[in-house]
């Protein structure tokens, strides 16, 4: 088996600027574009949007991606407020108790502008986008492999991105057609409800279908497999004993998403560290010490600056570790 390199990107709303900042540093260090360094890109929620955007082929030059990392970061900085409009008043906040916080109009427009009519097969890399199908009560992994093998699964990237980004309480679920042996109709929510960190799912996909990804290989070898897992940051604030014991639905509705994401991310990271050979797996993320800046829908300039600054500080502290990993995969 020859070397195989996986990039995994967590969900986390507008905190997607964190993995994008890390990816920019990787391109700076290596002198190569991301599609040249990795064979497979997996993403959940905002990670799925990034995986799609950085993988779309340029129709005028199919050997390079349509968008640069700066192009994608610009979408977050300049159009984040279209997806998550700020300034909810008291009435809107009260209504959000019974209905999702944001209308899908903004994200529909942004995703359509970015992905156009491009499909899963229009990507430079093999990709995997993670969602959860409420219609059939099952995880749904939207993969380039399936799109290549079965034309009816070669869906528009818009559908994949909209399905993976339908975060409960934030945006409504998304219905579309995606056929398999049992069903066609899907009604999807954010894959972060079960696999916010898709690194292990990506590794499983490659190991099971190695004959597709490397037709000349006969056996799977972890020693030749490398995984870079990028997080979108974790809030470091704690819930007090009193809050945990006495709070009800209104309190937990505000906090359960962050707890769930952190738990899934940490558990997946633990499993990957235990499974992967030393040096073949790298997890990079940041701690967020402010509840305001941890809000996945916060589109303020102050929050973006904080997240980017915090990520660059983390990268400076881990410069040698990152360079060593890049040398192994390059």
């Amino acid at each position: 088996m020859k070397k195989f390199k996986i990039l995994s990107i967590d969900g986390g709303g507008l905190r997607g600027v964190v993995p994008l900042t890390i990816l920019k540093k990787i391109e700076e260090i290596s002198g190569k574009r991301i599609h040249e360094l990795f064979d497979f890109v997996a993403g959940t929620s905002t990670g799925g949007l990034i995986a799609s955007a950085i993988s779309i082929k340029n129709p005028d030059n199919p050997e390079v991606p349509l968008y640069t990392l700066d192009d994608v970061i610009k979408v977050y900085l300049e159009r984040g407020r279209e997806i998550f409009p700020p300034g909810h008043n008291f009435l809107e906040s009260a209504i959000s108790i019974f209905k999702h916080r944001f209308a899908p109009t903004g994200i529909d427009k942004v995703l359509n502008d970015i992905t156009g009519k491009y499909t899963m097969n229009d990507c430079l890399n093999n990709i995997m986008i993670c969602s959860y199908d409420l219609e059939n009560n099952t995880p749904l992994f939207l993969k380039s492999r399936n799109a290549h093998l079965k034309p009816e699964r070669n869906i528009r990237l818009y559908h994949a991105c909209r399905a993976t980004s339908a975060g409960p309480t934030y945006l409504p679920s998304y219905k579309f057609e995606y056929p398999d042996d049992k069903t066609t109709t899907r009604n999807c929510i954010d894959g972060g409800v079960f696999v916010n960190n898709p690194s292990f799912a990506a590794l499983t996909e490659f190991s099971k279908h190695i004959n597709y990804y490397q037709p000349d290989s006969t056996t799977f070898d972890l020693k030749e497999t490398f995984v870079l897992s990028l997080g979108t940051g974790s809030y470091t604030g704690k819930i007090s004993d009193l809050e945990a014991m006495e709070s009800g639905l209104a309190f937990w509705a505000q906090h359960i998403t962050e707890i769930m994401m952190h738990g899934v991310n940490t558990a997946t990271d633990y499993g990957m560290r235990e499974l992967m050979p030393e040096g073949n797996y790298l997890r990079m993320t940041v701690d967020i010490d402010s509840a305001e800046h941890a809000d996945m829908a916060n589109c303020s300039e102050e929050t973006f600056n904080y997240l980017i600054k915090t990520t660059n500080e983390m990268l400076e502290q881990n410069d040698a570790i990152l360079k060593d990993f890049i040398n192994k995969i390059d």
Side-chain angles (χ1 to χ4, degrees), residues 23-37:
L23 291 175
K24 277 199 67 175
K25 186 65 175 180
I26 290 171
E27 288 195 343
E28 177 188 319
I29 293 172
S30 67
K32 293 183 178 181
R33 302 285 293 273
I34 295 302
H35 76 280
E36 300 176 275
L37 293 170

Side-chain angles (χ1 to χ4, degrees), residues 91 108-109 112 116 133 137 180 207 219 232 252 258 304 306:
L91 178 59
D108 288 347
K109 177 70 165 61
N112 265 309
D133 178 12
N137 197 29
D180 63 15
S207 65
T219 57
T232 59
W252 288 108
E258 185 69 35
F304 283 132
Y306 168 89

Side-chain angles (χ1 to χ4, degrees), residues 201-259:
L203 181 63
T204 302
E205 165 69 13
F206 171 59
S207 65
K208 183 176 181 180
H209 301 283
I210 186 173
N211 290 336
Y212 170 82
Y213 294 103
Q214 291 191 353
D216 295 332
S217 298
T218 55
T219 57
F220 169 66
D221 185 359
L222 272 178
K223 294 179 181 178
E224 294 298 324
T225 307
F226 295 81
V227 181
L228 174 63
S229 175
L230 303 183
T232 59
S234 294
Y235 177 47
T236 57
K238 294 180 172 60
I239 292 173
S240 70
D241 291 348
L242 181 62
E243 288 173 325
M245 291 187 290
E246 301 294 335
S247 297
L249 181 61
F251 175 85
W252 288 108
Q254 297 178 59
H255 295 87
I256 195 63
T257 298
E258 185 69 35
I259 294 170

Side-chain angles (χ1 to χ4, degrees), residues 60-196:
D60 297 323
N61 182 3
E63 299 301 314
V64 300
L66 179 62
Y67 301 112
T68 65
L69 289 173
D70 283 331
D71 291 333
V72 184
I73 291 174
K74 188 176 180 181
V75 172
Y76 281 77
L77 301 184
E78 297 184 2
R79 304 192 67 182
R81 61 184 53 248
E82 289 182 48
I83 301 172
F84 300 128
H88 276 45
N89 58 35
F90 175 78
L91 178 59
E92 290 171 321
S93 297
I95 292 173
S96 71
I97 296 175
F98 307 99
K99 194 177 168 86
H100 46 81
R101 286 174 62 188
F102 303 98
T105 314
I107 194 168
D108 288 347
K109 177 70 165 61
V110 172
L111 291 180
N112 265 309
D113 289 347
I114 295 169
T115 63
K117 294 184 178 179
Y118 297 109
T119 68
M120 299 286 285
N121 283 342
D122 290 321
C123 292
L124 283 162
N125 298 95
N126 281 290
I127 65 171
M128 181 173 75
I129 311 299
C130 311
S131 186
Y132 192 86
D133 178 12
L134 295 174
E135 184 79 16
N136 303 285
N137 197 29
T138 186
L140 182 64
F141 297 97
L142 304 164
K143 310 168 190 175
S144 294
R145 177 176 61 81
N146 287 337
H148 292 154
L149 297 174
K150 298 185 177 182
E152 66 272 18
R153 295 191 189 179
N154 183 30
I155 59 172
R156 285 178 58 203
L157 286 169
Y158 167 81
H159 295 310
C161 290
R162 184 64 181 82
T164 193
S165 59
T169 75
Y170 288 88
L171 291 160
S173 62
Y174 182 68
K175 295 197 76 168
F176 67 111
E177 303 292 308
Y178 185 79
D180 63 15
D181 297 335
K182 298 179 180 178
T183 188
T184 298
T185 302
R186 310 289 180 169
N187 185 20
C188 287
I189 57 173
D190 194 321
V193 299
F194 76 103
V195 66
N196 197 63

